[in-house]
Amino acid sequence: MNVLLWVLQVALALFYLAGGQYKVFHFDELVKVPPASALSRGEWGALGGFEMLCAVLLVVPAATKWIPVLTLFAAGALALESLVLALWFARQSLALRATNPLVYVVVGGVIAAFVAYGRYTLSPLS
């Protein structure tokens, strides 16, 4: 279980690192998606910065064994953020298409919730 959680943590970190940098540095492309245009550049930048910080906290504290509980908190925070974004995107469209950000948010949130649960219950970090 520990190996599976590590693989998911690294994959999730890469997923949110890429998504966070996209929100911070590619705002002009982001606003072309209809639900995304409701937030300002600063709001998307704050979300992107938060996602990149959590991506780092998913791996670094656990790997260095320096305050490894931060990994659990980062996974939980990403799951909560994904839930809020999923509810917001679901109000806009429930179409299951690759262009709908709801699909990516839900998948990332489910994996983040599983990592948080796994690191708390199944295979805690010491």
Side-chain angles (χ1 to χ4, degrees):
M1 183 55 69
N2 190 38
V3 173
L4 173 65
L5 287 171
W6 269 109
V7 168
L8 289 176
Q9 279 174 239
V10 170
L12 201 62
L14 293 173
F15 178 74
Y16 277 104
L17 197 60
Q21 74 82 25
Y22 188 80
K23 289 177 179 91
V24 171
F25 299 113
H26 300 283
F27 180 75
D28 298 330
E29 294 293 320
L30 185 64
V31 294
K32 293 178 183 175
V33 178
S37 61
L39 294 179
S40 70
R41 178 183 293 268
E43 292 166 332
W44 279 117
L47 279 174
F50 174 75
E51 287 180 2
M52 288 190 293
L53 173 66
C54 286
V56 170
L57 291 177
L58 277 172
V59 177
V60 173
T64 61
K65 295 187 182 356
W66 181 74
I67 314 175
V69 73
L70 289 176
T71 297
L72 170 68
F73 290 146
L78 287 173
L80 184 62
E81 183 225 10
S82 296
L83 174 66
V84 171
L85 282 176
L87 291 173
W88 185 56
F89 285 138
R91 291 181 55 202
Q92 308 297 322
S93 172
L94 290 175
L96 294 177
R97 294 185 304 244
T99 57
N100 189 354
L102 176 64
V103 175
Y104 301 106
V105 169
V106 169
V107 169
V110 167
I111 295 172
F114 179 74
V115 167
Y117 173 75
R119 285 301 177 201
Y120 183 71
T121 306
L122 303 175
S123 182
L125 296 166
S126 20

